[in-house]
Amino acid sequence: VASVAPRGLLLYETFGERQPEFGSPKRPDFLLRPRELLAVAEGMHVRAYEDLVLDDPPRHVQRIAAVRGER
């Protein structure tokens, strides 16, 4: 978050903790717990957030779009 410029946009997608049910990655070190991505973006204005299982290909992801310093 510190590397995002003022009024800059953070767009991020990564795997959630249920990902091992669908394939790699399987190491817990690489998987986010529920709402963990929201915690990382604390202090930013979150425009969108999703924590969901997608079908094609099957996977568990967390996604966020947040702006730094927006009121």
Side-chain angles (χ1 to χ4, degrees), residues 11-54:
L11 296 175
Y12 201 83
E13 177 178 292
T14 193
F15 292 106
E17 69 181 2
R18 290 187 53 204
Q19 179 58 27
E21 298 173 28
F22 309 105
S24 294
K26 295 179 184 276
R27 283 185 52 193
D29 297 349
F30 300 126
L31 307 174
L32 294 184
R33 295 179 307 277
R35 304 181 63 83
E36 187 173 356
L37 194 52
L38 281 174
V40 169
E42 186 175 339
M44 297 183 78
H45 178 76
V46 176
R47 293 294 190 101
Y49 170 78
E50 295 180 318
D51 183 344
L52 68 162
V53 173
L54 299 172

Side-chain angles (χ1 to χ4, degrees), residues 1-6 8 10 37-44 64 66-69:
V1 172
S3 66
V4 178
L10 171 70
L37 194 52
L38 281 174
V40 169
E42 186 175 339
M44 297 183 78
I64 197 164
V67 179
R68 183 172 179 208

